[in-house]
Amino acid sequence: MQAKKYLIIIMIAAVVGIVLLMCNSRQDHSEVTQPISTIQGIDTVPLLITQVQKCAKLYTAEYRVHKIVTHDDVVRLKGTLLKRTFDVKMPIGDRKVAIPIDAKLKAYIDFSSFSEENIERQGKKITIILPDPQVTMTSSKIDQKNVKEYVSLTRAHFSDAELANYQKQGREAIIADISKMGIIETAQANAAKVLVPMLAELGYDEADITIAFRKQYEPNDIMKLLRYED
């Protein structure tokens, strides 16, 4: 009976020992296999910089713009007579033209010079300050097939120089509207779609990640960011 009691005690001790051994084994395995990248520290910064720089030029938005420039060329006689001004349409015929212009706009962010200056960290939170976006107008041309022109018999047709000037006006109108298209906001949102998963792999919680530009861009700023590739 006493021997049986000792046997039961030995069996219980053996089971407890096996359980403790398994727990320690799991803990050791967890410590060994835990990705180094999940340990947030200064060591993640060089890796992050290297990964972001690989993006080089990250094209983030593309817009195709179709604009119709119209011009109504009416000959008018203007002047002053007996201290009264007058503005009279001359009955010599009209000239009208509608010029469709197609343009392509692309926004991209150049990460080639990305550095620690673009990274701000506060505890677990990290903010990526994006380099200034660039907007390129890769093409702008007249849709010659759909140009509509009306010229009275008494008037001369529009010259190539006049049509070129109207094309320039249409192009300037498209540029003036860029700030209203949301292309900068789209560039920021699409950059975040690339960078947030990258940061998450380095161990950052998505709720702690902020992707931002260094400032709120005004229409005049966007003009400075514009490049031409015609």
Side-chain angles (χ1 to χ4, degrees), residues 137-152:
M137 180 176 282
T138 59
S139 64
S140 62
K141 60 183 180 180
I142 295 177
D143 181 3
Q144 299 287 354
K145 293 182 179 180
N146 292 305
V147 172
K148 304 298 181 182
E149 190 175 346
Y150 168 77
V151 181
S152 297

Side-chain angles (χ1 to χ4, degrees), residues 95 115 195:
R95 293 194 310 169
S115 68
L195 296 178

Side-chain angles (χ1 to χ4, degrees), residues 119-134:
I119 302 173
E120 295 180 358
R121 294 197 307 174
Q122 187 174 5
K124 294 183 178 181
K125 296 184 180 297
I126 184 169
T127 299
I128 302 299
I129 308 298
L130 297 171
D132 287 345
Q134 303 294 322

Side-chain angles (χ1 to χ4, degrees), residues 44-109:
T44 64
V45 173
L47 179 58
L48 172 60
I49 293 173
T50 301
Q51 293 297 323
V52 173
Q53 286 178 345
K54 288 180 181 179
C55 295
K57 281 187 178 181
L58 176 62
Y59 283 90
T60 53
E62 179 176 318
Y63 285 70
R64 296 179 183 272
V65 183
H66 182 76
K67 191 173 187 66
I68 298 178
V69 179
T70 59
H71 182 74
D72 189 355
D73 184 16
V74 178
V75 178
R76 308 186 72 87
L77 180 63
K78 301 178 181 180
T80 304
L81 181 62
L82 300 176
K83 297 182 179 181
R84 293 185 178 181
T85 59
F86 61 88
D87 183 355
V88 181
K89 178 182 176 181
M90 300 298 291
I92 59 174
D94 299 334
R95 293 194 310 169
K96 300 180 181 180
V97 66
I99 305 172
I101 299 177
D102 294 313
K104 184 188 294 183
L105 299 169
K106 287 186 177 182
Y108 70 88
I109 298 174

